[in-house]
Amino acid sequence: MSRRLVNITLDNLGDLPPSCRSCVFWELDPISKARAEASDPGLEKESWISSVLLEWGSCGKLLYVDGVPAAYVLFAPPQYVPRSVAFPTSPVSADAVLLMTARVLSEFSGGGLGRMLIQGMAKDLTRRGVRAIEAFGDKQWTAPACVLPVDYLLAVGFKTVRPHHRHPRLRMELRSTLSWREDVEVALERLLGSMTPERVLRPAPAPAVVSGLANLLGSDHDAAAEFGERLFAAVNRHPAGLAGGFPVP
């Protein structure tokens, strides 16, 4: 089974579920939403996606399984999301991007696609320098809707920052990942600086290092591989590294 995660664009917007393709719950304020629904909400959705793509960048992910659209997620800074000020736990923090909504089609549920969506979104936003993701949850969620269930958000790594009996606001920190990598880089510099050819053991295969890093980074093997490449580059530039590699626990 092949899985492919891509950015939502105007070209693939039609691959969203029909009900979501024409939904403007988040994209418009309540009054504008009522007007749009009386005419062409799908056009308003397309206009919103186009505007955010132009002014801010990628604002959603679409997940395909064996070439079939299976799940999606939408997100944007709160200033692009009129509905974000209408909750009892508003506003969204100034340093956060809002996770608006997400959905996994029922025939693909139970396969970890919901977690994959959040991981893909978090990886994208981390690279863009975003500090955190926030979301409004629904404690009374019973069926697919515009507001995500609290239990799902908690399961994928969010924490409640503003409690409420119905719509709490939750948050996922992204800077912790960057800080961890920065700390590791400092530790590696110290390790390499203390190494001499006499202390170096035989080199370990590259896959072993990538696997070890993957264990530390979670399931993000791409990030582990990228980090491993940078690590080996640093070793190769070091005299001890040139003498025969460095030990891996």
Side-chain angles (χ1 to χ4, degrees), residues 97-118:
V97 161
L98 176 65
L99 164 57
M100 298 158 57
T101 191
R103 184 174 178 181
V104 177
L105 297 185
S106 58
E107 56 266 37
F108 296 98
S109 62
L113 302 189
R115 184 173 295 274
M116 186 176 177
L117 283 174
I118 300 302

Side-chain angles (χ1 to χ4, degrees), residues 116-217:
M116 186 176 177
L117 283 174
I118 300 302
Q119 290 174 340
M121 175 184 63
K123 184 176 180 179
D124 180 8
L125 294 177
T126 298
R127 288 173 173 171
R128 295 160 69 177
V130 175
R131 295 180 60 89
I133 303 169
E134 292 190 358
F136 297 103
D138 186 353
K139 283 191 171 183
Q140 300 178 23
W141 189 93
T142 58
C146 299
V147 182
L148 294 169
V150 170
D151 290 344
Y152 165 71
L153 294 169
L154 293 173
V156 295
F158 283 80
K159 294 182 179 179
T160 301
V161 292
R162 185 79 185 276
H164 187 263
H165 68 277
R166 176 68 188 270
H167 292 301
R169 178 160 50 89
L170 299 93
R171 180 178 173 98
M172 175 189 289
E173 298 288 345
L174 298 181
R175 289 296 299 177
S176 59
T177 303
L178 293 178
S179 299
W180 181 88
R181 293 187 182 184
E182 291 168 358
D183 292 342
V184 171
E185 288 175 353
V186 171
L188 288 172
E189 289 294 333
R190 291 176 180 172
L191 172 64
L192 294 175
S194 67
M195 289 168 56
T196 62
E198 292 77 13
R199 295 176 59 190
V200 175
L201 303 179
R202 64 183 179 85
V209 177
V210 172
S211 177
L213 287 170
N215 288 335
L216 292 175
L217 290 170

